[in-house]
Amino acid sequence: MKALIDFENAPVFAIGPRAGFTDGCEGMLIEGPQGWGEFSPPRGSSDPVAVRWLTSAIEGGTVGWPDPVRGRVPVAVAVPPVAASIARAITADSGCRAADVRLSGDSAADLARLEAVRDALGPDGSIRGIAGGLWDVSTAAAAIPVLDRAAGGLEYVEQPCAEPADLAAVRRRVDVRIAADVAMLTNSDPSWRTLPEAADVAVLSVGPLGGVRRALRVAETSGLPCVVCAAPQTSIGMAGGLALAGVLPDLPFACGLGAVAGLAGDVVSAARSLVPGDGLLPVAPMAPAPDAAQVARFTPADAEQLAWWRRRLQAVAQLL
């Protein structure tokens, strides 16, 4: 498979956040004989984690993705830890009927943000709190009921604590569903197959789990209802998450795959950009191809940044 990939000429890109958002995305675009993928592991990730990202990046362009069972996927708007008025505007402008609201640990700000998002969505929208391992057990157990009231009902809280045992303890003490980021548990505890004890929902991310097929096997093993999410990525990267959401037998939740809208641009043409206009995104047999002008626009000017990514890809590719 490695012989089929052009690692030497892979373009590097760096896209900052759109106004009102907090996270950008940087990485490389990987071309295979059947299409493109995105290699964008977090800068501080270990080699084993980065290898999974690279495996995911080359899957679609080599062996392809499994055939989907649905053509479109409902998505949630990503709401960063911003002021309540900005959170309301982001939600209202998205066209989505679900929102992933990032929690900051600042109780007053989090409560105001959740109330604003509920106001924008109305009573029938779904709100999920994204904690990212923010709390210990006692803090989480105290905070979640308060946040649930402010949101007018939370669909779930994702990763309130970092460790599986702590998630299980919180789950026993609150009435709100607890969702576990499977990739985060895989990194911290190889015994993530005990997930049903720790969570009500499994959160799957294609990049850190090593691709659509590997994530699908995790879903089958977990025995839990699943939701597909992703950190900010370009449309090329986000297409893999949509492929997974398209192939899951059941999809009870809107997926956290709307983060392209939070970037200041994309590496594909505007017509191919995966920004939901009506709360839905299409499942495609392959990722969209990059647009040369957009890639040139977002190629870093910093020579060291370019060199860092080329060294990173070269080192990780040797581990495949």
Side-chain angles (χ1 to χ4, degrees):
M1 185 180 296
K2 290 168 62 176
L4 302 175
I5 305 296
D6 183 7
F7 292 120
E8 293 296 325
N9 298 304
V12 180
F13 69 89
I15 306 175
R18 185 162 67 88
F21 289 77
T22 55
D23 296 321
C25 178
E26 61 177 307
M28 304 184 76
L29 303 177
I30 310 297
E31 185 178 15
Q34 295 192 60
W36 290 83
E38 178 182 313
F39 175 64
S40 55
R43 279 245 181 177
S45 57
S46 66
D47 284 349
V49 170
V51 167
R52 293 199 291 270
W53 278 85
L54 186 53
T55 301
S56 176
I58 66 179
E59 179 186 32
T62 53
V63 297
W65 295 318
D67 293 334
V69 297
R70 60 185 61 83
R72 297 197 298 172
V73 171
V75 297
V77 58
V79 180
V82 293
S85 60
I86 299 174
R88 182 184 291 106
I90 288 171
T91 306
D93 292 344
S94 71
C96 296
R97 298 302 307 146
D100 286 339
V101 180
R102 176 67 62 173
L103 303 172
S104 67
D106 180 332
S107 178
D110 287 341
L111 294 174
R113 192 178 311 111
L114 288 167
E115 291 170 352
V117 170
R118 174 57 69 195
D119 182 63
L121 285 177
D124 298 329
S126 300
I127 300 178
R128 297 85 73 93
I130 312 301
L134 188 63
W135 301 303
D136 58 29
V137 172
S138 297
T139 305
I144 288 173
V146 179
L147 296 168
D148 183 49
R149 289 193 293 272
L154 287 169
E155 191 167 43
Y156 58 74
V157 174
E158 180 184 322
Q159 208 68 35
C161 306
E163 300 299 328
D166 291 342
L167 291 179
V170 172
R171 183 170 175 250
R172 290 192 293 268
R173 294 173 60 176
V174 301
D175 293 328
V176 178
R177 291 188 191 98
I178 300 299
D181 182 338
V182 177
M184 187 172 179
L185 299 188
T186 303
N187 295 338
S188 65
D189 181 356
S191 64
W192 56 264
R193 289 176 178 81
T194 61
L195 193 61
E197 300 174 12
D200 304 286
V201 180
V203 180
L204 307 177
S205 301
V206 168
L209 288 176
V212 172
R213 285 174 176 78
R214 292 185 180 183
L216 184 58
R217 287 199 295 271
V218 171
E220 293 167 349
T221 303
S222 76
L224 292 178
C226 295
V227 60
V228 183
C229 296
Q233 293 178 289
T234 73
S235 291
I236 292 176
M238 204 62 69
L242 287 165
L244 173 60
V247 77
L248 286 171
D250 298 301
L251 196 68
F253 306 104
C255 291
L257 298 172
V260 173
L263 297 178
D266 205 346
V267 294
V268 304
S269 65
R272 303 296 303 279
S273 191
L274 294 173
V275 176
D278 56 358
L280 297 166
L281 283 173
V283 178
M286 64 181 65
D291 178 83
Q294 291 299 98
V295 173
R297 177 186 174 193
F298 292 110
T299 298
D302 183 352
E304 177 52 36
Q305 187 176 13
L306 288 167
W308 187 92
W309 276 104
R310 297 208 176 282
R311 291 193 301 267
R312 183 62 161 152
L313 178 60
Q314 183 179 30
V316 174
Q318 297 302 313
L319 303 175
L320 285 175

